[in-house]
Amino acid sequence: MEKQQQLYEGKAKRIYQTSEPGVLWVTYKDDATAFNGEKKDTLEGKARLNNEISTLIFTHLNEKGLQSHFIRRLSDTEQLVRQVEIVPLEVVVRNVVAGSMAKRLGIEEGTPLVEPIVEFYYKDDALGDPLITEDHVYLLEAATAEEVESLKIQAKKVNELLVELFAGIGVRLVDFKLEFGRTNEGKLLLADEISPDTCRLWDIKTNQKLDKDLFRRNLGNLQDGYQEILTRLGGQ
Amino acid sequence: MEKQQQLYEGKAKRIYQTSEPGVLWVTYKDDATAFNGEKKDTLEGKARLNNEISTLIFTHLNEKGLQSHFIRRLSDTEQLVRQVEIVPLEVVVRNVVAGSMAKRLGIEEGTPLVEPIVEFYYKDDALGDPLITEDHVYLLEAATAEEVESLKIQAKKVNELLVELFAGIGVRLVDFKLEFGRTNEGKLLLADEISPDTCRLWDIKTNQKLDKDLFRRNLGNLQDGYQEILTRLGGQ
Ligand SMILES: Nc1ncnc2c1ncn2[C@@H]1O[C@H](COP(=O)(O)OP(=O)(O)O)[C@@H](O)[C@H]1O
Ligand SMILES: Nc1ncnc2c1ncn2[C@@H]1O[C@H](COP(=O)(O)OP(=O)(O)O)[C@@H](O)[C@H]1O
Ligand SMILES: [Mg+2]
Ligand SMILES: [Mg+2]
């Protein structure tokens, strides 16, 4: 397998074509961004931490029968994934009120939800990734009604599996963001990454934040939090 | 019927108790506000125009079999309405993309929608009346699932009737905001006002704006636009 031309550089990863059609080479970056790119920094070691954690999580989901784009880890900071046509939606699942939901609804951060809630945000940096309703999803032709159902079912399944995984290591899965893509066969496949960049992870006992809020809110060393997650998940 | 103590003063109306239980006295104000109260002015004659237009619209809806809180016009600027417990939702119906929807989704203002879209905004000035999803409605206990269905059905029915009414006077009903309230019997009743303050109304031929965007966007004399709507509706 060979890394070929770069297809895309995002805020957190670079995506390259490979010698094998339909297979992409992902390299994680040490860059941290927040507030739609307004706050930026380079945090040494973040690329490795997210690559390792994403690898462990996608592997766990796969073992539990939930498919994703993940093929295999290549190195400290690289992995191979199946190419998909990304659906321009950020699918957010929440178990506890936090972040933008706390602000939007005026509910205190930390309030547990009786049932997990799935939200759709339109993946468009220029628009600031706005919250949208299902009618907006259809208007934007971001996904069909059938796809929206599949996104919700898959997102809730991922949530069940990850709530359990994190509970087992003393971590509360507060919320997280997923991206999905269409395969050649038109199926929706879980893609992108699942890492402390895309989840809110609080220590169950102390409520200490072990995720990107460390960076967003200047709460402490990001790498220490991410390393704690990686170590508890059994990685190094 | 006597006007008694003031119950509430909002941005556009004052609400008084009356000698009859369950009946409220509404006086419209000449105040205009926009952007959650950031832009303010007093526009002489606006109270009368909105009272007259709201009266004509509620009367029309009633004739078509759609009930509301409206009881009767009292004077140029006053009307009697049935007291309800207001549901803290702004129910917005859109036929054409405009305003916040155009901005949120990056769609050009003026783009017609194939189907009308109903949106819910949480009626909370401190939060800036945010767009919310149905799950948020339930989380906030703003309405039950059964009530949400009733709100959507009633809102779409109002839309059908008003699209037709306005088309008959050469006006395109772009979008509008409704409020509903619970009666003693627990039924949801259309309440508040329907006026150029709460609708976007464009001349069908010229696209000239005849609504509060005249004030919001400094596009011309608000009273001229509202008077045009009142006159075309058969009022004075
Ligand atoms: N399997 C995949 N196939 C195609 N594109 C993908 C896949 N997984 C992730 N991507 C896309 O790769 C891009 C790079 O990721 P990232 O750096 O996180 O970008 P962003 O700045 O948009 O968050 C994103 O647009 C993401 O949607
Ligand atoms: N039938 C009704 N019973 C009780 N309250 C009502 C009724 N109709 C409207 N209201 C409420 O009267 C208040 C005054 O109206 P308005 O000046 O438009 O207020 P706002 O500043 O909230 O827009 C609003 O809170 C509105 O919801
Ligand atoms: Mg990303
Ligand atoms: Mg009002």
Side-chain angles (χ1 to χ4, degrees), chain B:
Chain B
M1 186 72 54
E2 249 173 65
K3 186 161 98 175
Q4 294 183 337
Q5 96 200 72
Q6 183 177 301
L7 277 188
Y8 186 75
E9 171 160 6
K11 295 186 292 294
K13 304 181 288 293
R14 289 189 192 85
I15 311 271
Y16 301 87
Q17 240 158 353
T18 65
S19 43
E20 196 172 319
V23 174
L24 299 179
W25 186 296
V26 179
T27 74
Y28 280 75
K29 309 200 300 184
D30 276 341
D31 295 355
T33 63
F35 311 118
N36 201 17
E38 258 176 63
K39 184 176 159 109
K40 276 188 210 178
D41 209 347
T42 303
L43 301 176
E44 214 193 307
K46 177 171 169 292
R48 184 188 78 84
L49 290 160
N50 279 346
N51 184 57
E52 301 293 20
I53 293 168
S54 226
T55 292
L56 289 174
I57 291 179
F58 280 131
T59 303
H60 177 79
L61 291 176
N62 193 55
E63 283 167 8
K64 295 286 179 178
L66 199 142
Q67 309 308 314
S68 76
H69 74 158
F70 181 77
I71 299 173
R72 66 184 167 88
R73 176 185 180 283
L74 289 168
S75 75
D76 269 18
T77 58
E78 296 165 298
Q79 55 184 250
L80 285 184
V81 303
R82 189 162 159 199
Q83 182 163 24
V84 291
E85 182 211 15
I86 292 287
V87 172
L89 295 173
E90 302 203 331
V91 182
V92 170
V93 185
R94 300 179 183 270
N95 299 298
V96 176
V97 177
S100 68
M101 182 194 240
K103 260 200 210 146
R104 173 182 302 273
L105 305 183
I107 300 178
E108 205 190 345
E109 185 156 288
T111 307
L113 296 169
V114 179
E115 286 274 328
I117 284 184
V118 179
E119 297 170 334
F120 296 108
Y121 293 80
Y122 187 41
K123 196 173 152 56
D124 186 317
D125 283 341
L127 299 173
D129 298 334
L131 174 76
I132 58 176
T133 69
E134 283 182 31
D135 285 332
H136 298 158
V137 172
Y138 307 138
L139 176 62
L140 293 164
E141 295 184 354
T144 66
E146 209 183 322
E147 286 177 333
V148 163
E149 280 322 297
S150 167
L151 291 173
K152 289 199 272 190
I153 290 167
Q154 288 194 59
K156 284 182 184 167
K157 186 71 199 164
V158 171
N159 186 48
E160 275 172 36
L161 294 171
L162 294 190
V163 163
E164 203 191 341
L165 175 69
F166 282 111
I169 59 166
V171 170
R172 175 174 302 141
L173 178 60
V174 170
D175 56 37
F176 57 96
K177 182 268 294 180
L178 300 176
E179 294 182 27
F180 291 83
R182 296 181 188 93
T183 63
N184 287 336
E185 305 89 53
K187 262 186 41 183
L188 285 179
L189 193 66
L190 178 60
D192 203 50
E193 67 179 279
I194 303 181
S195 72
D197 265 17
T198 64
C199 302
R200 281 198 173 86
L201 303 167
W202 297 356
D203 182 88
I204 274 178
K205 289 209 183 115
T206 64
N207 276 329
Q208 201 196 330
K209 291 174 176 55
L210 302 167
D211 58 58
K212 202 165 86 173
D213 276 343
L214 288 165
F215 169 73
R216 281 194 202 95
R217 305 181 186 181
N218 302 311
L219 297 175
N221 185 275
L222 174 139
Q223 294 94 320
D224 289 350
Y226 287 30
Q227 182 63 58
E228 178 69 23
I229 294 294
L230 178 57
T231 306
R232 292 201 203 174
L233 283 172
Q236 300 193 328

Side-chain angles (χ1 to χ4, degrees), chain A residues 6-67:
Chain A
Q6 183 177 300
L7 276 187
Y8 187 74
E9 171 159 4
K11 296 187 290 295
K13 305 182 287 293
R14 288 189 192 84
I15 311 269
Y16 302 86
Q17 240 158 354
T18 65
S19 43
E20 195 172 319
V23 174
L24 299 179
W25 186 297
V26 178
T27 73
Y28 281 74
K29 310 201 297 184
D30 276 341
D31 296 354
T33 63
F35 312 117
N36 201 16
E38 258 176 65
K39 185 177 159 107
K40 276 188 209 179
D41 209 347
T42 303
L43 301 175
E44 213 191 308
K46 178 172 169 290
R48 184 188 78 87
L49 290 160
N50 279 346
N51 184 56
E52 301 293 20
I53 293 168
S54 226
T55 292
L56 290 174
I57 291 179
F58 280 131
T59 303
H60 177 80
L61 291 177
N62 193 55
E63 283 166 11
K64 295 286 179 179
L66 199 140
Q67 309 309 314

Side-chain angles (χ1 to χ4, degrees), chain A residues 13 177 179 192:
Chain A
K13 305 182 287 293
K177 181 269 292 181
E179 293 181 27
D192 203 49

Side-chain angles (χ1 to χ4, degrees), chain A residues 87-234:
Chain A
V87 172
L89 295 174
E90 304 204 330
V91 182
V92 170
V93 184
R94 300 181 182 270
N95 299 298
V96 176
V97 177
S100 70
M101 182 194 239
K103 259 199 212 149
R104 172 182 302 273
L105 305 182
I107 300 177
E108 205 191 344
E109 185 156 285
T111 307
L113 296 170
V114 179
E115 285 275 329
I117 284 183
V118 179
E119 298 170 335
F120 297 109
Y121 293 80
Y122 187 40
K123 196 172 153 56
D124 186 316
D125 284 340
L127 299 173
D129 298 334
L131 174 76
I132 58 176
T133 70
E134 283 183 30
D135 285 332
H136 297 158
V137 171
Y138 308 137
L139 176 61
L140 293 164
E141 296 182 354
T144 66
E146 209 183 322
E147 286 178 331
V148 164
E149 280 322 297
S150 166
L151 291 173
K152 289 199 272 189
I153 289 167
Q154 288 196 59
K156 284 182 184 168
K157 187 71 198 166
V158 171
N159 186 48
E160 274 173 36
L161 295 171
L162 294 190
V163 163
E164 203 191 342
L165 175 70
F166 282 112
I169 59 166
V171 169
R172 174 174 303 140
L173 178 60
V174 170
D175 56 37
F176 57 95
K177 181 269 292 181
L178 300 177
E179 293 181 27
F180 291 84
R182 296 181 189 94
T183 63
N184 286 336
E185 305 90 54
K187 262 185 43 182
L188 285 179
L189 193 65
L190 178 60
D192 203 49
E193 67 179 279
I194 303 182
S195 73
D197 265 16
T198 64
C199 302
R200 280 199 173 85
L201 302 167
W202 297 356
D203 182 87
I204 273 178
K205 289 207 182 116
T206 65
N207 275 329
Q208 202 195 328
K209 290 173 176 54
L210 302 166
D211 57 58
K212 202 164 88 174
D213 276 342
L214 288 165
F215 168 73
R216 279 192 203 97
R217 305 180 187 182
N218 301 311
L219 297 175
N221 184 274
L222 176 138
Q223 293 94 320
D224 289 350
Y226 287 29
Q227 182 64 57
E228 179 69 25
I229 295 293
L230 178 58
T231 308
R232 290 201 203 176
L233 282 172

